[in-house]
Amino acid sequence: MTQKTDYTSDYRPLDVQAIREDFPIFAEIPPLAFLDSAASTQTPRAVVDAMDAYYDTYRSNIHRGIYRISEEATDQYEKARQKVARLINAPRTTEVVFTRNTTESINLVAYSWGSVNIQQADEIVLTELEHHSNLVPWQMLAQRTGANLRYLEITEQGLLDFTQLHDLLSEKTKLIAITHVSNVLGTINPIQSVVEAAHAAGAKVLVDAAQSVPHFHVDVQQLDCDFLAFSGHKMCGPTGVGVLYGKSELLEEMPPFLGGGSMIRSVERDISTYADVPAKFEAGTPSIAEAIGLGATVDYLTQVGLASIHVHEQELLKYAHDRLRDIDGITIYGPAPHQKSGVVSFNIEGIHPHDVAGILDTHNVAIRAGHHCAQPLMKKLDVIATVRASFYLYNTIEDVDRLCEGLQKAQILMTRRN
Ligand code: C6P
């Protein structure tokens, strides 16, 4: 089952040097080759400015104050929601719920939707590519309800094995929870095809878009997914704010996740009625500055152009693969550059990934080493950890060169030590 999506239709070349000037950290630490954006990105000045403006000029709580600065804060918070809805082409702004991060968005669905839609012997289909955030909430739901988890496996190239999908789906399947892009292998999954198959079997689809929304244009109407989750901090936005998109008809029928202020219509001594979506899912004072910052992030990414970001990352990926392949004893995991987005995972024979990371750090090259919160995938790859370099709009060919030079130095150092 394959699907071609053109992520590059409105592409124009990036002026990476100008982009780097938007990010204060590159002036602060000039030699920094930051290759860990899949964990958390850097922040452009415009996003910090938007949050500073809130704190300096209209800080107040939202949805309750009957005075000017509170109305301004409410207005900016709701404008951020509109911007996010436009970014992912959500049909309605009310289908965008602000959460803390991808993890919370997925937990919200697992608790709320899961509590009324999953019963004993129902099946939830996951894939071997999932991050723990899209595994553990479903394991917890399965333990609560007696439902079963089924796994779609990956091929040797790190692509999903779609030949298995139809055998996995049955009238018992209630949900497929799948990542759009693997945070370890970078594999871009053909979500539209998965959604078509799931819907034909009467199942819903939740897409973990933590590694896709930041990197290319994601359109929830085109995907026709039922839920989609992502985090602000992986797309140049602040920490502490994330998004859950859900189709209206599903969100409206779901019970609240957390109870408290802001999510109610009326409260009696023994019972309450709840606010409409999205307020029903935003109990308590939300991350106001962060949501406003996320709005500024959407403006920034839209102005740069997600198609351009994707093409730039593709160039870096291709170059990185070519250069890494020349290093002795290297194993690169996952598919070819054109089948993936933003990350390259690898190991070098005889050097532990943590040692690689430590040595690269001494050369001001920041990468991630470890299991990347994907332990079942590590088991499948038969490794305990990998080294992972991940790219974003501010990375350059020189960053890749510095990575490769650092790896060669690591090899020399380790050979001398042994
Ligand atoms: N991956 C990485 O270095 P949170 O922490 O909730 O913002 O994102 C969780 C998450 C969910 N799904 C995917 C595909 C992810 O990549 C992540 C976060 C980071 O790969 C931290 S482990």
Side-chain angles (χ1 to χ4, degrees):
M1 198 181 280
T2 54
Q3 168 204 320
K4 283 228 173 328
T5 306
D6 182 8
Y7 300 113
T8 61
S9 45
D10 53 351
Y11 160 73
R12 48 180 200 283
L14 290 190
D15 181 349
V16 180
Q17 286 316 320
I19 285 172
R20 286 173 75 84
E21 282 169 22
D22 294 337
F23 290 78
I25 196 157
F26 296 120
E28 197 65 37
I29 314 175
L32 179 65
F34 185 74
L35 297 171
D36 196 21
S37 293
S40 199
T41 61
Q42 297 303 331
T43 322
R45 172 55 61 199
V47 171
V48 179
D49 284 349
M51 290 194 290
D52 281 354
Y54 164 75
Y55 283 119
D56 290 347
T57 63
Y58 60 96
R59 179 176 171 151
S60 48
N61 215 321
I62 56 167
H63 295 147
R64 57 194 79 184
I66 310 185
Y67 50 91
R68 192 187 57 76
I69 57 171
S70 174
E71 281 163 9
E72 169 75 2
T74 304
D75 191 41
Q76 292 301 332
Y77 182 83
E78 290 304 328
K79 273 197 181 123
R81 197 191 305 278
Q82 287 165 12
K83 288 175 189 178
V84 170
R86 271 200 299 276
L87 177 77
I88 58 171
N89 197 26
R92 295 173 198 82
T93 305
T94 51
E95 293 176 317
V96 170
V97 178
F98 283 131
T99 61
R100 277 189 308 143
N101 48 38
T102 307
T103 305
E104 187 174 288
S105 299
I106 297 173
N107 275 278
L108 192 164
V109 177
Y111 274 89
S112 168
W113 181 86
S115 70
V116 286
N117 288 286
I118 298 291
Q119 289 167 3
Q120 187 162 24
D122 282 346
E123 291 184 354
I124 298 165
V125 173
L126 308 170
T127 86
E128 289 181 327
L129 290 173
E130 301 313 312
H131 184 279
H132 296 165
S133 293
N134 202 25
L135 292 177
V136 182
W138 307 115
Q139 292 171 349
M140 290 161 67
L141 176 62
Q143 281 156 11
R144 283 198 301 276
T145 57
N148 296 312
L149 304 180
R150 309 281 310 271
Y151 278 84
L152 189 55
E153 293 178 7
I154 54 169
T155 63
E156 294 232 316
Q157 294 76 42
L159 300 168
L160 286 181
D161 183 357
F162 278 97
T163 56
Q164 301 176 350
L165 185 62
H166 285 285
D167 289 342
L168 275 179
L169 295 176
S170 73
E171 72 285 352
K172 288 189 196 158
T173 318
K174 293 293 176 299
L175 179 80
I176 301 184
I178 180 170
T179 193
H180 200 169
V181 170
S182 161
N183 66 317
V184 179
L185 303 181
T187 314
I188 303 177
N189 289 325
I191 297 297
Q192 238 172 292
S193 307
V194 173
V195 171
E196 276 165 28
H199 286 175
K204 305 290 181 213
V205 179
L206 175 139
V207 178
D208 173 349
Q211 301 289 357
S212 61
V213 166
H215 299 277
F216 51 83
H217 187 56
V218 173
D219 179 332
V220 292
Q221 295 193 60
Q222 190 185 9
L223 296 180
D224 195 27
C225 55
D226 301 287
F227 300 104
L228 182 116
F230 57 98
S231 301
H233 72 96
K234 291 188 194 292
M235 54 191 284
C236 298
T239 55
V241 65
V243 172
L244 172 68
Y245 157 81
K247 284 183 177 166
S248 279
E249 63 269 27
L250 297 174
L251 292 179
E252 273 157 23
E253 302 230 313
M254 283 159 52
F257 175 40
L258 301 173
S262 306
M263 51 73 74
I264 51 90
R265 189 182 303 283
S266 74
V267 179
E268 304 291 331
R269 286 169 76 107
D270 296 316
I271 197 158
S272 302
T273 55
Y274 307 124
D276 291 336
V277 290
K280 181 171 71 175
F281 296 111
E282 293 181 8
T285 300
S287 301
I288 303 169
E290 289 77 7
I292 292 168
L294 183 60
T297 306
V298 173
D299 289 341
Y300 183 79
L301 292 180
T302 310
Q303 196 195 336
V304 174
L306 279 158
S308 307
I309 293 172
H310 182 68
V311 171
H312 176 67
E313 288 176 11
Q314 280 293 305
E315 286 165 6
L316 293 175
L317 265 181
K318 189 166 177 320
Y319 181 73
H321 268 242
D322 289 346
R323 282 224 48 191
L324 288 170
R325 260 198 299 265
D326 287 343
I327 294 177
D328 284 342
I330 198 162
T331 305
I332 300 178
Y333 304 100
H338 70 276
Q339 291 166 311
K340 66 182 194 174
S341 166
V343 306
V344 56
S345 271
F346 57 89
N347 270 322
I348 299 184
E349 208 182 341
I351 317 182
H352 192 283
H354 287 166
D355 290 332
V356 175
I359 296 167
L360 288 174
D361 182 44
T362 63
H363 297 283
N364 272 307
V365 178
I367 49 92
R368 187 169 173 194
H371 56 58
H372 313 294
C373 301
Q375 286 182 349
L377 178 56
M378 293 295 120
K379 208 163 199 177
K380 176 79 177 196
L381 298 174
D382 199 19
V383 295
I384 44 155
T386 74
V387 181
R388 183 191 68 185
S390 53
F391 307 112
Y392 210 17
L393 70 169
Y394 35 66
N395 289 119
T396 60
I397 293 286
E398 197 206 340
D399 291 338
V400 180
D401 288 339
R402 292 201 21 225
L403 166 72
C404 295
E405 283 153 22
L407 293 172
Q408 274 151 350
K409 285 181 187 149
Q411 276 186 317
I412 295 166
L413 194 74
M414 295 311 278
T415 322
R416 271 198 214 129
R417 265 193 214 169
N418 293 332

